[in-house]
Amino acid sequence: DDGNELPDEEIGRIFVKNNMLFEGYTRPGTDKEIIDGMVATGDLGYYKDGLLFISGRGDDMIVSGGENVYPQETEDVINTFEEVSESAVRGVEDDKFGQVLCAWVVLKDKTAADLSDSEKDEFIQRATAASKKKLARHNVPRHFIFLDKLPRNAVGKVVPRELPQPGE
C-alpha cells in the first residue's frame, strides 16, 4: 500500500509501466492510482521464481475471520473438476467470521434441478477435500450453490448481486 516492492510470495497490488501512453485508462478523474509512473491495474498478485502469479482482483478480496481471502484461488481449484463448466466464488455474510466463501457451480452435463442430493453432497465433499489440500482453510467454501448458468452482464462479467444467497 505504500508503493514499495514486496518480497517473493507476498501478495500485493500490481502496477504496470511501459513507454506507451495509457490515455483513456488514466484520464484525470479516474480511480487508477499512479506511483512513479506505474499504473495500478486493480489486480493482486505475487512473484515466485521470477514469475508473476495473479491472485485476483483487489475489489474481490474479502476478510474472513481476520484473514484476507482471494476467491480466484478457490475458483481455480473448483474449475479443475472435469464436470464443472464454470464457477464463481465470492464472499457472503456470516455471523461468526464476518464473511465466508460461497461457490456457485455450473456443471457441464446436468442442470441444477437434475442433481440429486447425494450427487450434490458427493461433489461438495470432493471439492472441499481438494480445496483443503491445495488452499488455506479460510479459502475453502462454506456454501455451494448449483446453477444452470451464472448471471452475466452485457460484456460477459458475472454479476455478483444477482447470485442467489445461501438459504434463498
Side-chain angles (χ1 to χ4, degrees), residues 42-63:
D43 297 305
L44 300 169
Y46 61 93
Y47 277 107
K48 182 177 178 181
D49 301 326
L51 299 174
L52 176 63
F53 292 84
I54 307 295
S55 298
R57 298 280 304 162
D59 50 5
D60 288 343
M61 184 196 78
I62 68 162
V63 178

Side-chain angles (χ1 to χ4, degrees), residues 18-154:
N18 66 25
N19 293 328
M20 298 174 7
L21 295 175
F22 285 106
E23 287 181 20
Y25 193 71
T26 60
R27 66 189 180 282
T30 64
D31 60 353
K32 301 297 179 199
E33 184 178 355
I34 299 174
I35 297 177
D36 295 331
M38 296 184 294
V39 178
T41 66
D43 297 305
L44 300 169
Y46 61 93
Y47 277 107
K48 182 177 178 181
D49 301 326
L51 299 174
L52 176 63
F53 292 84
I54 307 295
S55 298
R57 298 280 304 162
D59 50 5
D60 288 343
M61 184 196 78
I62 68 162
V63 178
S64 180
E67 299 284 349
N68 292 343
V69 180
Y70 305 96
Q72 183 64 52
E73 296 171 316
T74 306
E75 242 175 66
D76 292 344
V77 170
I78 291 170
N79 288 338
T80 63
F81 284 87
E82 187 175 302
E83 68 266 36
V84 173
S85 175
E86 63 180 343
S87 70
V89 176
R90 300 287 187 277
V92 294
E93 298 303 315
D94 182 79
D95 291 338
K96 184 176 180 181
F97 295 100
Q99 286 191 309
V100 294
L101 292 183
C102 180
W104 290 267
V105 181
V106 177
L107 300 177
K108 291 178 184 173
D109 297 324
K110 287 204 174 206
T111 66
D114 290 340
L115 280 173
S116 69
D117 287 342
S118 64
E119 288 173 314
K120 290 177 186 177
D121 290 343
E122 187 269 334
F123 178 86
I124 291 168
Q125 288 174 1
R126 288 189 301 120
T128 300
S131 296
K132 285 180 178 178
K133 183 177 180 182
K134 296 179 181 182
L135 303 169
R137 64 171 171 71
H138 49 267
N139 284 71
V140 177
R142 302 274 177 145
H143 305 282
F144 285 83
I145 298 174
F146 295 90
L147 300 172
D148 293 340
K149 65 180 183 176
L150 296 176
R152 296 187 180 278
N153 63 18

